[in-house]
Amino acid sequence: AVAKGKYLALLSGDDIMLPKKIETQVEYLKKNDDVIGCSHDMEVFNSETNQKIAKSSELLCSRKIPNKMGIEFFFDHSIALIPSAMMMKRAYVPKNGFNTHLKYANDYLFDIEVFVQGKLGYIDQVHGRYRKHDQQVSNISKKEEDFEESMVVFGIVLARYPQLYKLVTKHKSSMILSNIVHAIKTGKRERALSLSKYLIINGHYIKGFFGFL
């Protein structure tokens, strides 16, 4: 079905909305004309026991989440928001919606294409529950597939929004470095060396040489 309302709220299949979520976010967007969407905190809970683990802001972020953020947020490793916490004004949603060719990173590309147009607001309250279990996509041991899809997203973003070049290339090199570390830990030295060479060829000498140590 095609969304036709003024606002679009996202919800992953295994997450839970709390009763006041929609009302709170709609009210926030009505009062804050300088943002085109907003997010909020989530309670992370164990799927098997239903016990709270922590707030997502405590578990996924290494610094305080700003009240309002620009597009640079989506390339910041120190902050992560749960996709199910997002609501945006439908007028800013890409005409083609989600890229269905992407299995893991379609929400990431979607958010970039929305918020390249305006700011994201943050409500420092819990209005949803994020389910943590062994089978969810974010936990599946497929880092290489996730990595490759992220590289595809960066290529699409650079092709459509060349003004984001600096943000994309910095984030991309950091992600490659993280993948090098993972490759070394899992005994895939050839992959680590190959990725290191890529960084060096593209001018990221310090990060690239790390793979050779």
Side-chain angles (χ1 to χ4, degrees):
V2 178
K4 298 180 180 180
K6 186 175 181 179
Y7 305 103
L8 178 67
L10 306 183
L11 182 67
S12 297
D14 54 359
D15 296 336
I16 299 171
M17 286 186 180
L18 294 182
K20 295 289 185 179
K21 170 187 164 69
I22 300 296
E23 177 184 340
T24 300
Q25 287 188 281
V26 168
E27 191 64 25
Y28 177 90
L29 291 174
K30 286 181 177 180
K31 290 181 178 179
N32 292 270
D33 294 333
D34 58 330
V35 302
I36 64 172
C38 63
S39 184
H40 56 73
D41 212 343
M42 296 275 283
E43 177 187 285
V44 182
F45 71 101
N46 185 295
S47 181
E48 298 297 323
T49 65
N50 201 37
Q51 293 298 307
K52 175 183 176 181
I53 298 172
K55 292 195 296 185
S56 59
S57 59
E58 300 167 343
L59 201 63
L60 304 176
C61 304
S62 60
R63 67 183 178 92
K64 182 176 174 57
I65 302 173
N67 293 329
K68 293 178 181 178
M69 298 162 273
I71 188 62
E72 67 279 356
F73 152 72
F74 294 96
F75 302 93
D76 187 343
H77 287 290
S78 66
I79 297 176
L81 298 177
I82 304 296
S84 291
M86 290 286 188
M87 177 183 282
M88 62 276 298
K89 297 175 181 177
R90 190 172 64 85
Y92 295 92
V93 171
K95 291 182 179 180
N96 295 325
F98 279 86
N99 187 323
T100 56
H101 297 292
L102 299 172
K103 184 177 181 180
Y104 301 114
N106 51 24
D107 54 346
Y108 183 45
L109 176 60
F110 180 82
D111 287 341
I112 291 174
E113 296 213 273
V114 170
F115 292 102
V116 72
Q117 304 173 72
K119 291 183 178 181
L120 168 70
Y122 179 69
I123 302 170
D124 190 13
Q125 301 169 2
V126 172
H127 287 290
R129 303 188 78 208
Y130 176 74
R131 189 185 306 273
K132 186 175 178 60
H133 55 76
D134 292 338
Q135 298 302 316
Q136 66 192 129
V137 169
S138 55
N139 278 350
I140 294 175
S141 179
K142 292 184 178 179
K143 286 186 177 295
E144 289 184 12
E145 292 96 321
D146 295 347
F147 169 76
E148 290 171 3
E149 201 165 272
S150 294
M151 296 301 106
V152 171
V153 168
F154 292 144
I156 293 172
V157 172
L158 284 177
R160 294 177 181 174
Y161 312 102
Q163 71 271 26
L164 300 180
Y165 176 81
K166 288 185 177 179
L167 287 172
V168 171
T169 52
K170 181 179 180 181
H171 191 65
K172 181 179 178 180
S173 66
S174 295
M175 185 171 287
I176 292 174
L177 179 58
S178 176
N179 206 258
I180 290 172
V181 173
H182 176 72
I184 293 172
K185 288 181 177 179
T186 54
K188 298 180 179 180
R189 182 165 176 76
E190 289 301 316
R191 179 175 175 81
L193 290 174
S194 177
L195 291 171
S196 297
K197 290 176 182 177
Y198 174 87
L199 287 178
I200 293 171
I201 291 171
N202 286 275
H204 302 283
Y205 300 108
I206 296 177
K207 292 179 179 178
F209 278 119
F210 173 84
F212 289 93
L213 298 178

